[in-house]
Amino acid sequence: MFKIKLEGGRTMEVEEKTFWHTTSHILAQAIKRLYPEIKLAIGPSIDNGFYYDFDTDKPFTPEMLEKLEEEMKKIVKEDLKLERFELPREEAVKFMEEKKEPYKVELINDLPEDAVISFYKQGEFTDLCAGPHIPSTGSVKAIKLLTSSGAYWRGNENNKMLQRIYGISFPKASQLEEYLNMLEEAKKRDHRKLGKELDLFFFDETAPGMAYWMPKGFTMMNTLIELWRKEHQKRGYQEFSGPQLNSSELWKISGHWDHYKEYMFVLTDSDGKEQALKPMNCPNSIKLYQTKLRSYKDLPLRFNDIDVIHRNEKSGQLNGLFRVRMFRQDDSHNYITEDQIGSEIKDIVEIANYLYGIFGLEYQLTLSTRPDDFMGEIETWNKAEADLKKVLDEIAGENNYRINEGDGAFYGPKIDIKMKDCLGREWQMGTIQLDFQLPQRFNLYYIDKEGEKKTPIMVHRAIFGSFDRFIGIITEHFAGAFPTWLAPVQVKILPIADCHLDYAKEIKNKLEEVGIRTELDEREEKIGYKIREAQLQKTPYMLILGNKEVENNAVGVRSRKDGDIGAMSIDDFIKKIKEEEKTFAK
């Protein structure tokens, strides 16, 4: 929430998105003042700021963005009131036609017959908009236009390419300064840059949106998987693996064919049958459930897997590890009875608490409700949403969680886990989805206490979201300086001269025998150079070995964080590393 100042010294709180949406109108007004020939498309708020799409043949240059910014500041100083009014459909179309705004006319024509068509006026400028907005432009005290790029009208690559301007705004200049500093820090922490520098992963144009995991990065991946696997084994989860390719018939039964086909890789096999690479694991889990008769005594039944899945994301939406076409999801599908909903979701939240706590990550729970393209009966949805609200009230307390209307999955409402990193950025992480639909579509059942057939409830859930994306997030969170237990190389051994190599190899063997990931730098380089390079590689510990260390059967320990911490025996050093590993696992 932002606190803004009003006339007479009064203040009011407004949603950030309302504030940013108003700023997008200020941008559109500045465009029409400076470049009246440019046509307006849409200008929504987004998670961090706003954008507006414009129809112009020329891309916006940095100089044009500066001019627009200055004009926006003039509009803010004019303190223009935002006034809402409505028009009947025919008048609304005529109004936008007179203004020569074809995209607005198209939007009006696409509205439902019973839609209320509203506009907002500020000074000489009027825009088609459902609102809401802040009372006046004068409350927007700090504005920055960040970037511009091409964007297809309505996100459809068959439509015309428009020009999009992204921006951010705040009620105080200090808030903007803080945000811009965060952006600069984020650039330094960019996981794509660090992924290359630290030899973790890379992307190649021959496989868009599909990461190549290098040995160090895959070591991290496997370390995370081992942590995840141990925690789930303790809680009665059973890991399985399913096919990568399934017949279209399976996806038609599940509903993915109707609701998700555009994001699936579809092909024809050698027999001429339609197949698709799986974008989700749920139908494979269902097939596993169907292999035998299930009793109420078997539930909860928890099938988890880390199979690779594929999603045919548009190339313009790909973004490092954050938005990919191939990834490993930390998935599970849990089959429960109705009276197990509360206890099962609480158990899942406990797992999230433990795993996020290891990384020092804070999170907030959000209830996402029925979307427009929902599957099934409204009564079933209402019950599912009521069940989730009841559990959230118990876990988080009433009004201590957010509600995201219309953002549920097509088969059921969900609890989304939103995590904040060290820069205050929010990330969509895990999800807990309550599904009454798929068990019915696949005719799943179990035998209850009375010997009757009952349909189980299916809980789709992920904690990290995906291992790939999570590594991208924590790479930026830690700026590549991973905690010792997770670092792909925990210790770098740096002999000062060739005569210390035999001792160095002896130390390396001892460390590896107890499972400490170790590298030996055997190059004929000065020790200062070796230390600087190990530091750049963000290695947690360096062991400096010279005459003194060989004579005393010791190691000179240097910490990435604390610098030189002195000599100690190899046994004491091993104990130190193991203590650090124990700390994270508590």
Side-chain angles (χ1 to χ4, degrees), residues 258-434:
D258 292 332
H259 295 266
Y260 208 78
K261 184 181 176 184
E262 66 176 306
Y263 295 107
M264 298 169 70
F265 287 99
V266 179
L267 54 88
T268 303
D269 67 17
S270 59
D271 297 321
K273 294 182 179 179
E274 209 166 30
Q275 307 280 348
L277 285 171
K278 64 178 178 183
M280 319 276 191
N281 290 308
C282 30
N284 284 349
S285 171
I286 287 170
K287 285 296 177 184
L288 181 58
Y289 183 95
Q290 291 175 321
T291 57
K292 60 176 68 175
L293 182 66
R294 308 291 180 180
S295 159
Y296 72 94
K297 294 180 180 179
D298 298 322
L299 307 185
L301 189 59
R302 307 175 179 107
F303 293 139
N304 62 325
D305 65 290
I306 51 173
D307 284 352
V308 172
I309 57 180
H310 294 80
R311 295 182 182 174
N312 191 14
E313 303 283 1
K314 291 174 180 165
S315 59
Q317 296 176 321
L318 300 176
N319 179 17
L321 294 175
F322 296 158
R323 194 76 174 261
V324 291
R325 289 177 173 170
M326 180 187 81
F327 58 96
R328 295 159 185 80
Q329 188 155 299
D330 70 320
D331 223 346
S332 183
H333 296 90
N334 303 359
Y335 301 88
I336 61 174
T337 64
E338 189 170 328
D339 60 2
Q340 291 170 340
I341 290 174
S343 59
E344 191 66 14
I345 291 178
K346 286 175 186 176
D347 186 75
I348 293 168
V349 172
E350 282 180 15
I351 298 174
N353 279 334
Y354 171 70
L355 293 177
Y356 291 171
I358 289 171
F359 299 91
L361 302 174
E362 296 181 358
Y363 68 87
Q364 186 171 27
L365 301 176
T366 300
L367 173 61
S368 297
T369 61
R370 185 176 66 244
D372 292 335
D373 66 337
F374 71 92
M375 182 171 67
E377 301 297 323
I378 287 183
E379 292 77 13
T380 306
W381 274 85
N382 290 341
K383 175 172 176 46
E385 288 178 8
D387 287 338
L388 286 185
K389 283 180 181 176
K390 181 180 178 183
V391 173
L392 282 170
D393 286 344
E394 293 177 16
I395 292 172
E398 291 186 42
N399 303 317
N400 284 332
Y401 56 90
R402 292 181 287 192
I403 296 180
N404 194 359
E405 298 287 355
D407 200 42
F410 67 85
Y411 47 73
K414 59 180 179 172
I415 297 172
D416 286 323
I417 304 173
K418 311 271 188 173
M419 182 273 287
K420 279 194 175 180
D421 67 12
C422 65
L423 297 181
R425 297 175 299 178
E426 190 171 75
W427 302 92
Q428 168 65 55
M429 298 292 289
T431 183
I432 308 168
Q433 303 174 3
L434 204 56

Side-chain angles (χ1 to χ4, degrees), residues 185-196 198 200-203 211-213 216-218 220-221 224 319-324 326-328 359 361 419-423 425-429 464-483 486:
E185 181 61 27
K187 284 181 185 177
K188 298 175 190 174
R189 294 168 177 258
D190 189 317
H191 73 284
R192 293 163 297 187
K193 170 176 168 285
L194 290 171
K196 286 183 179 179
L198 302 179
L200 303 178
F201 58 85
F202 67 92
F203 291 88
Y212 281 83
W213 285 94
K216 288 181 180 178
F218 208 56
M220 282 183 59
M221 174 81 73
L224 272 180
N319 179 17
L321 294 175
F322 296 158
R323 194 76 174 261
V324 291
M326 180 187 81
F327 58 96
R328 295 159 185 80
F359 299 91
L361 302 174
M419 182 273 287
K420 279 194 175 180
D421 67 12
C422 65
L423 297 181
R425 297 175 299 178
E426 190 171 75
W427 302 92
Q428 168 65 55
M429 298 292 289
F464 292 135
S466 86
F467 289 104
D468 307 63
R469 187 166 180 268
F470 186 73
I471 288 175
I473 290 170
I474 61 173
T475 297
E476 298 198 0
H477 178 70
F478 291 114
F482 301 106
L486 183 60

Side-chain angles (χ1 to χ4, degrees), residues 41-105:
I42 57 171
S45 62
I46 52 178
D47 287 343
N48 286 295
F50 61 90
Y51 71 77
Y52 211 114
D53 289 343
F54 304 100
D55 186 355
T56 174
D57 295 331
K58 296 180 180 179
F60 292 103
T61 64
E63 293 75 22
M64 292 173 75
L65 295 185
E66 285 182 21
K67 283 179 65 177
L68 285 167
E69 226 176 83
E70 289 304 313
E71 191 62 36
M72 291 174 74
K73 290 175 183 176
K74 291 178 185 177
I75 294 169
V76 168
K77 285 183 180 178
E78 292 170 21
D79 196 15
L80 304 173
K81 286 183 169 53
L82 279 91
E83 301 169 315
R84 184 181 186 276
F85 65 92
E86 299 173 5
L87 289 176
R89 182 180 297 271
E90 288 185 9
E91 290 182 34
V93 169
K94 184 179 179 182
F95 182 60
M96 285 289 102
E97 286 177 340
E98 288 173 352
K99 288 183 173 292
K100 299 180 180 179
E101 296 291 355
Y103 296 98
K104 303 296 182 180
V105 172

Side-chain angles (χ1 to χ4, degrees), residues 148-216:
S148 64
S149 64
Y152 291 110
W153 169 234
R154 290 187 156 180
N156 187 334
E157 57 193 18
N158 296 317
N159 290 338
K160 185 171 182 180
M161 174 72 78
L162 307 178
Q163 295 299 316
R164 175 174 295 178
I165 296 177
Y166 288 95
I168 191 76
S169 62
F170 294 95
K172 294 180 182 179
S174 60
Q175 291 172 303
L176 175 60
E177 184 179 357
E178 183 180 329
Y179 181 81
L180 294 178
N181 288 338
M182 183 274 290
L183 287 184
E184 283 302 311
E185 181 61 27
K187 284 181 185 177
K188 298 175 190 174
R189 294 168 177 258
D190 189 317
H191 73 284
R192 293 163 297 187
K193 170 176 168 285
L194 290 171
K196 286 183 179 179
E197 292 174 356
L198 302 179
D199 296 328
L200 303 178
F201 58 85
F202 67 92
F203 291 88
D204 187 83
E205 61 184 11
T206 59
M210 302 185 189
Y212 281 83
W213 285 94
M214 302 168 81
K216 288 181 180 178

Side-chain angles (χ1 to χ4, degrees), residues 485-498:
W485 69 269
L486 183 60
V489 177
Q490 297 170 299
V491 179
K492 197 79 172 269
I493 300 174
L494 308 178
I496 293 175
D498 284 350

